[in-house]
Amino acid sequence: MSDSLRYKIVLWLAWLQPALIAIAICMIEFTGPGRVWRWNVPFWTLLVGYILGFLLLPFSRGLEKPSVLKWWLRFDLVITILMFVPAYFTLAGCEVKYSSYKGDYILFSRGGFLSAPHINLGVKSGLFITDLNYFPVGYLGISDYNWDIDSRTGSFELFARHNNENQIYICPTDSSLYHANRATINHRIDSLYHEFYPKEIDNMDFVMPDDFSRVVYTDSSYISYYKADDYWYSSTEIIFSTGDSNISPDSVIIRYKDSQEDRVYPKDTIPHMSPTQVEQFIRQLKGGKR
C-alpha cells in the first residue's frame, strides 16, 4: 500500500465525493420553493462531486491500492458514466441563473432548460435569496434598464419582452409600504396604462395596492381580475366582444370563475377601463350595484 501524497489525495477525494453529493442534495431538498442558495452553492457542490467520478480512477492509475478502493473507483467511474444524462438534467434544474442586480434585489431564473421561460425577483437574505415574485418572461436579454425598485413606496417595475410581446409588471417588494403609498402607486399604474395600452404593450400585469388583487390585460379585448389569495385562476374576466364571438360585437361579457353563465352588457355601459376603474368595477359587481 502506497504512503505517497498522491495516494492520500485519492483516498481523501474518494471520501469527499459522496459527501459532496449528499450535501448538495440536502441543500436542494431543504431550502424549499421560496428560497435559493446564493452563489449557486448546491450547483457547484454537485458539479464538483460528479466530476470527481471521472477523474479519480485515471488520477490513481499506477498507485498500489487496496482491492476495496480499486473496485470502488472502477464502480464509481461506471456509475458516473451511466448517470451522465440524469446528472445533466439535475444540474440544469438546480442551477440558478442571475440576470441583474440592484442593491439587495436580484432577478434570477431556475428550473432548467425544459421549464417555461421565467424570471424571479428575489432579495438577499444571509446565505439565501428569498423569492418575492415570479414573472413568465425569459431571463435572456433582461438588463438593469428593464426594471426598477422604488424603496420609498416598496414597489417593483419590470418592462420585459417575451415571444415578441412587450410586457409590464408592477408588484410590491414591501407590502406595508406598497399599501401605505397606494395613492401614488395607483396613479403610476393608471399612468402606464394610459401611456402604453394598447399601442405599445401587449401584456400588463398590476398588483393593486388597496387589497393586493391583480389586474391583467392580455390584449385590447381581455381583462382578468385575480383575488389576492388566488393568483393562478382569475375570479372575473371582462371580455370586450369581437367579431369572432357568438355574442354581438357591441356587447361586453363578464365571466365569473364559479358561475355557469356569463353576464352580457351593452358595450356603452362598460367602457374599456384603467386598472383602478377595473378594481372599482369589481367591487360594484360584488356589492350587487350593477
Side-chain angles (χ1 to χ4, degrees):
M1 186 183 302
S2 174
D3 290 326
S4 67
L5 177 60
R6 187 156 66 99
Y7 172 77
K8 293 178 180 179
I9 292 175
V10 170
L11 191 60
W12 293 337
L13 293 179
W15 283 104
L16 179 63
Q17 184 204 18
L20 287 174
I21 294 174
I23 290 170
I25 292 173
C26 288
M27 287 179 178
I28 295 168
E29 289 296 323
F30 294 107
T31 50
R35 292 194 306 176
V36 297
W37 286 80
R38 292 175 63 185
W39 309 294
N40 244 336
V41 176
F43 171 79
W44 292 111
T45 304
L46 192 61
L47 180 62
V48 171
Y50 184 73
I51 290 175
L52 286 176
F54 284 109
L55 300 180
L56 280 174
L57 183 60
F59 184 66
S60 69
R61 195 173 301 280
L63 288 175
E64 182 182 349
K65 303 182 288 291
S67 58
V68 173
L69 179 59
K70 184 185 300 183
W71 283 105
W72 166 254
L73 294 178
R74 292 174 179 173
F75 174 77
D76 188 25
L77 179 61
V78 171
I79 292 298
T80 302
I81 293 172
L82 292 177
M83 287 292 293
F84 179 79
V85 173
Y88 182 74
F89 281 91
T90 301
L91 286 166
C94 74
E95 182 183 11
V96 178
K97 304 177 181 69
Y98 303 103
S99 302
S100 183
Y101 299 79
K102 285 191 178 179
D104 288 337
Y105 293 93
I106 301 173
L107 289 185
F108 67 94
S109 177
R110 60 177 176 172
F113 49 82
L114 293 180
S115 62
H118 68 282
I119 276 288
N120 293 76
L121 171 66
V123 62
K124 298 175 186 176
S125 178
L127 296 175
F128 302 98
I129 298 171
T130 301
D131 211 342
L132 298 178
N133 219 316
Y134 165 95
F135 310 97
V137 298
Y139 71 93
L140 294 176
I142 295 291
S143 70
D144 294 349
Y145 299 102
N146 298 115
W147 63 291
D148 192 31
I149 296 285
D150 186 347
S151 57
R152 184 180 60 85
T153 60
S155 61
F156 165 85
E157 291 184 15
L158 172 66
F159 290 76
R161 186 169 178 82
H162 177 54
N163 288 339
N164 295 319
E165 292 185 351
N166 294 313
Q167 304 182 8
I168 291 178
Y169 296 88
I170 294 183
C171 70
T173 57
D174 185 312
S175 298
S176 298
L177 286 174
Y178 199 73
H179 182 70
N181 290 277
R182 52 191 177 275
T184 301
I185 294 169
N186 278 332
H187 176 72
R188 173 63 174 158
I189 287 173
D190 274 2
S191 296
L192 285 173
Y193 165 81
H194 288 297
E195 180 180 357
F196 290 112
Y197 196 80
K199 297 172 290 186
E200 299 178 42
I201 300 296
D202 304 288
N203 184 289
M204 286 182 157
D205 192 326
F206 303 116
V207 176
M208 306 305 293
D210 300 279
D211 59 359
F212 301 101
S213 58
R214 277 175 61 214
V215 176
V216 180
Y217 299 83
T218 49
D219 58 45
S220 60
S221 63
Y222 206 92
I223 305 173
S224 301
Y225 177 85
Y226 296 78
K227 294 180 179 178
D229 57 353
D230 187 2
Y231 279 2
W232 290 103
Y233 302 101
S234 58
S235 65
T236 308
E237 296 172 352
I238 304 171
I239 306 168
F240 292 85
S241 182
T242 64
D244 297 330
S245 172
N246 293 326
I247 299 174
S248 167
D250 296 323
S251 301
V252 176
I253 303 167
I254 308 297
R255 181 171 296 160
Y256 297 96
K257 174 183 175 183
D258 301 323
S259 176
Q260 299 295 323
E261 296 183 2
D262 298 335
R263 295 187 186 181
V264 181
Y265 300 97
K267 183 175 288 187
D268 56 3
T269 66
I270 305 177
H272 211 277
M273 297 172 284
S274 70
T276 55
Q277 290 173 328
V278 170
E279 191 177 34
Q280 183 179 9
F281 177 75
I282 297 298
R283 289 199 189 104
Q284 291 176 344
L285 288 178
K286 290 179 180 177
K289 296 181 180 180
R290 180 173 287 273

